[in-house]
């Protein structure tokens, strides 16, 4: 009896130590990784302050006309699309850590090409290189963070990816107020250099190491990431039990590829279709996809099963065979539709419109308020998602999301101005008149 009790207490203490997640090196590894999304944000934000200067530059070989300026701003997304494909290959061939280290090369090389550019084509090439690095980063960093993180903090650490992207965008805007375009490029090259330096001392993910049959290295990585007071063997066995069945990496590749491709499409057509059209189409696609998700859960959980295991992916993988097998394609299609729809409109367009509609004197404060609102709402939705499912059921929660997507379309129709083809002065005059 005493032996059983001592084993229980030991297991309980080990579990508590595991759940507390107090090892600072995990957060250090996450910080090193999210310097990639920060670099991505600087790439996205760089064109906004640089284009006005390049349109007035004395050197006629570098001076951009309106068409060239639009290419300079949008061509980065084509590089990102290629980077998404390349990243999907690299992440499984050479590992997550080395992929992140390598992507710093096109980041820095791209800015060097831009700084030393002798003509417009060199500017384009530099932007493509930075876009290529951004595409790789956008795919690899979420995979790296998810695979090194403890379950209790994975959501929080994963949310830093998008936070660092918008931080980079804002940082480029702010720096662009005082720095010339070439000095801004120098500044933008710093984050990938720091990422390369930090990642030299970070471990590869335990899951990748176990997939490569490198168990000793995986244990060492867990010791680095979890600290000494955790049962590393236990976690290693948990990973080994699932590593052969895990398809999350390919799912991440597919989702990342869809997101990059449709974001690129949005960037290329936004000045032709207008902002509001993309918001309409995006909102309707997201409304449809979340409604289909609700229908899927209604069919696979006909009794309103809402156990404590309310994690979406747990639910998708644990429903009873039969109905879910026949309808599993619906969940995949719904997810793909949502990612595509969001990337087409409500992902990129609000950030653009935000930079257009605010008057110059209030742009900094107003933009900060928008960023704050965005992340507070993201926190609330993430934090209360399980409570929503417990209160509204799984399908009711997604139908609520669908209703809000419909509301977003209505809001865009009545309250969002079309800024296509208008100067910032015309937009400001429109609001002043209103």
């Amino acid at each position: 009896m005493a032996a059983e009790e001592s084993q229980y207490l030991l297991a309980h203490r080990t579990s508590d130590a595991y759940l507390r997640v107090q090892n600072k090196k995990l957060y250090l590894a996450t910080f090193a990784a999210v310097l990639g999304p920060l670099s991505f944000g600087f790439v996205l934000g760089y064109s906004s302050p640089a284009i006005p200067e390049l349109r007035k530059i004395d050197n006629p070989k570098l001076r951009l006309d309106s068409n060239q300026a639009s290419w300079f701003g949008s061509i980065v997304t084509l590089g990102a699309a290629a980077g998404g494909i390349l990243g999907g290959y690299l992440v499984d061939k050479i590992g997550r850590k080395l992929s992140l280290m390598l992507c710093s090369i096109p980041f820095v090389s791209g800015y060097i090409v831009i700084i030393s550019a002798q003509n417009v084509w060199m500017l384009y090439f530099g932007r493509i290189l930075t876009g290529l690095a951004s595409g790789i980063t956008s795919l690899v960093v979420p995979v790296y963070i998810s695979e090194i993180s403890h379950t209790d903090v994975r959501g929080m650490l994963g949310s830093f990816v998008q936070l660092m992207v918008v931080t980079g965008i804002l940082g480029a805007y702010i720096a662009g107020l005082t720095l010339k375009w070439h000095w801004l490029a120098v500044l933008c090259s710093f984050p990938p250099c720091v990422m390369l330096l930090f990642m030299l001392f970070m471990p590869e993910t335990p899951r990748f190491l176990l997939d490569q049959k490198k168990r000793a290295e995986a244990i060492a990585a867990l010791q680095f990431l979890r600290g000494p007071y955790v049962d590393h063997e236990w976690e290693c066995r948990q990973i080994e039990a699932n590593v052969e069945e895990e398809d999350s990496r390919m799912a991440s590749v597919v989702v990342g590829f869809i997101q990059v491709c449709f974001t690129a499409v949005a960037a290329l057509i936004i000045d032709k279709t207008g902002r509001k059209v993309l918001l309409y189409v995006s909102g309707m696609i997201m409304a449809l996809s979340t409604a289909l998700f609700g229908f899927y859960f209604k069919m696979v959980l006909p009794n309103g099963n809402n156990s404590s295991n309310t994690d979406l992916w747990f639910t998708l993988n644990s429903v009873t065979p039969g109905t879910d097998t026949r309808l599993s394609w619906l969940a995949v299609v719904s997810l793909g539709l949502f990612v595509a729809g969001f990337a087409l409109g409500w992902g990129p367009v609000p950030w653009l419109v935000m930079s257009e509609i605010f008057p110059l004197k209030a742009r900094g404060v107003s933009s900060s308020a928008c960023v704050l609102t965005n992340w507070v709402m993201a926190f609330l939705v993430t934090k209360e998602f399980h409570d929503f499912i417990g209160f509204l059921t799984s399908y009711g929660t997604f139908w609520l999301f669908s209703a809000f997507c419909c509301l977003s379309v209505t809001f865009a129709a009545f309250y969002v101005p079309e800024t296509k083809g208008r100067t910032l002065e015309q937009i400001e005059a429109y609001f002043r008149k209103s």
Side-chain angles (χ1 to χ4, degrees):
M1 186 69 178
E4 291 179 359
E5 184 177 346
S6 63
Q7 288 178 353
Y8 170 79
L9 291 174
L10 177 61
H12 187 67
R13 283 197 300 270
T14 301
S15 176
D16 284 348
Y18 182 70
L19 290 175
R20 280 197 294 268
V21 195
Q22 294 179 347
N23 184 39
K24 296 178 181 178
K25 291 184 179 179
L26 169 60
Y27 303 109
L28 181 61
T30 302
F31 171 75
V34 296
L35 288 172
L38 180 67
S39 304
F40 183 13
F42 272 109
V43 170
L44 294 177
Y46 175 76
S47 59
S48 182
I51 285 176
E53 285 192 68
L54 290 171
R55 295 197 65 176
K56 300 175 182 178
I57 196 170
D58 293 335
N59 188 344
K61 293 183 179 180
L62 293 178
R63 193 181 306 133
L64 303 178
D65 58 30
S66 57
N67 183 57
Q68 291 170 330
S70 68
W71 274 106
F72 183 80
S74 62
I75 201 170
V76 69
T77 58
L78 299 181
I85 299 172
L86 180 59
Y89 173 80
L90 291 176
V91 75
D92 282 329
K93 289 296 181 181
I94 65 174
R96 290 81 164 109
K97 173 184 175 177
L98 190 54
S99 296
L100 283 177
M101 293 174 67
L102 285 179
C103 76
S104 64
I105 297 175
F107 266 131
V108 177
S109 299
Y111 287 119
I112 290 175
V113 171
I114 290 173
I115 294 167
S116 59
Q118 301 298 312
N119 53 56
V120 172
W121 292 103
M122 289 185 70
L123 293 176
Y124 290 164
F125 182 60
R127 290 286 283 169
I128 289 177
L129 284 177
T130 57
L132 180 73
S134 299
I136 298 172
T137 297
S138 65
L139 187 144
V140 178
V141 172
V143 175
Y144 182 82
I145 292 177
S146 69
E147 291 189 358
I148 66 171
S149 299
H150 176 274
T151 305
D152 284 5
V153 293
R154 184 179 297 130
M156 179 189 71
L157 297 182
S159 67
F160 284 127
V161 174
Q162 183 64 18
L163 176 62
M164 295 302 281
V165 171
V166 295
T167 300
I169 294 173
L170 182 60
Y173 290 166
I174 295 173
L177 295 176
T178 57
L179 295 178
K180 297 295 184 180
W181 64 275
H182 48 282
W183 286 112
L184 180 59
V186 173
L187 175 66
C188 291
S189 67
F190 282 169
C193 291
V194 177
M195 179 182 69
L196 175 61
L197 178 63
F198 272 60
M199 287 304 299
L200 284 171
F201 304 98
M202 299 301 115
E204 180 57 87
T205 71
R207 280 169 175 77
F208 178 78
L209 292 170
L210 287 173
D211 190 47
Q212 299 295 308
K213 312 302 181 187
K214 298 178 179 179
R215 199 174 194 279
E217 290 90 334
I219 293 290
L222 286 172
Q223 290 173 341
F224 180 93
L225 295 166
R226 302 288 184 261
Y229 305 112
V230 176
D231 188 348
H232 307 104
E233 284 287 346
W234 175 83
E235 185 173 1
C236 192
R237 289 193 297 271
Q238 296 300 308
I239 297 172
E240 285 177 320
N242 294 297
V243 72
E244 293 182 1
E245 301 173 3
E246 200 173 71
D247 293 324
S248 61
R249 288 174 297 168
M250 184 54 66
S252 298
V253 171
V254 173
V255 169
F257 179 72
I258 292 173
Q259 191 167 9
V260 169
C261 285
F262 278 88
T263 302
V265 169
L268 292 174
I269 68 175
I270 191 170
D271 285 322
K272 296 181 175 62
T273 62
R275 283 65 161 155
K276 296 186 71 168
V277 171
L278 288 182
L279 291 177
Y280 294 155
V281 174
S282 173
M284 289 186 287
I285 291 175
M286 291 192 299
L288 174 63
S289 66
T290 47
L292 290 175
F293 247 132
F295 176 74
Y296 170 79
F297 282 113
K298 179 69 172 176
M299 296 301 295
V300 300
L301 300 174
N303 298 320
N305 177 15
N306 290 293
S307 66
S308 60
N309 292 310
T310 51
D311 182 83
L312 171 61
W313 299 110
F314 178 89
T315 307
L316 283 172
N317 289 299
S318 62
V319 289
T320 55
T323 305
D324 57 305
T325 302
R326 295 191 298 272
L327 289 176
S328 59
W329 62 270
L330 183 58
V332 176
V333 169
S334 300
L335 178 61
L337 272 177
F338 185 87
V339 172
F342 180 77
L344 190 63
W346 281 98
V349 172
W351 300 106
L352 171 63
V353 173
M354 180 181 75
S355 68
E356 294 176 323
I357 64 175
F358 292 133
L360 182 62
K361 293 182 179 180
R363 191 163 295 162
V365 175
S366 302
S367 298
S368 298
C370 288
V371 172
L372 176 63
T373 302
N374 177 73
W375 289 109
V376 168
M377 296 307 297
F379 167 77
L380 289 176
V381 172
T382 305
K383 177 68 171 60
E384 300 302 324
F385 179 69
H386 286 188
D387 294 334
F388 282 150
I389 290 182
F391 180 69
L392 298 174
T393 73
S394 300
Y395 52 86
T397 299
F398 280 94
W399 286 342
L400 176 66
F401 292 164
S402 182
F404 272 99
C405 291
C406 293
L407 185 62
S408 73
V409 176
T410 305
F411 178 85
F414 289 99
Y415 295 105
V416 177
E418 179 54 74
T419 57
K420 167 191 171 186
R422 295 184 178 183
T423 66
L424 297 180
E425 290 73 21
Q426 290 173 331
I427 296 170
E428 187 169 345
Y430 167 83
F431 278 106
R432 197 181 300 115
K433 186 188 303 181
S434 300

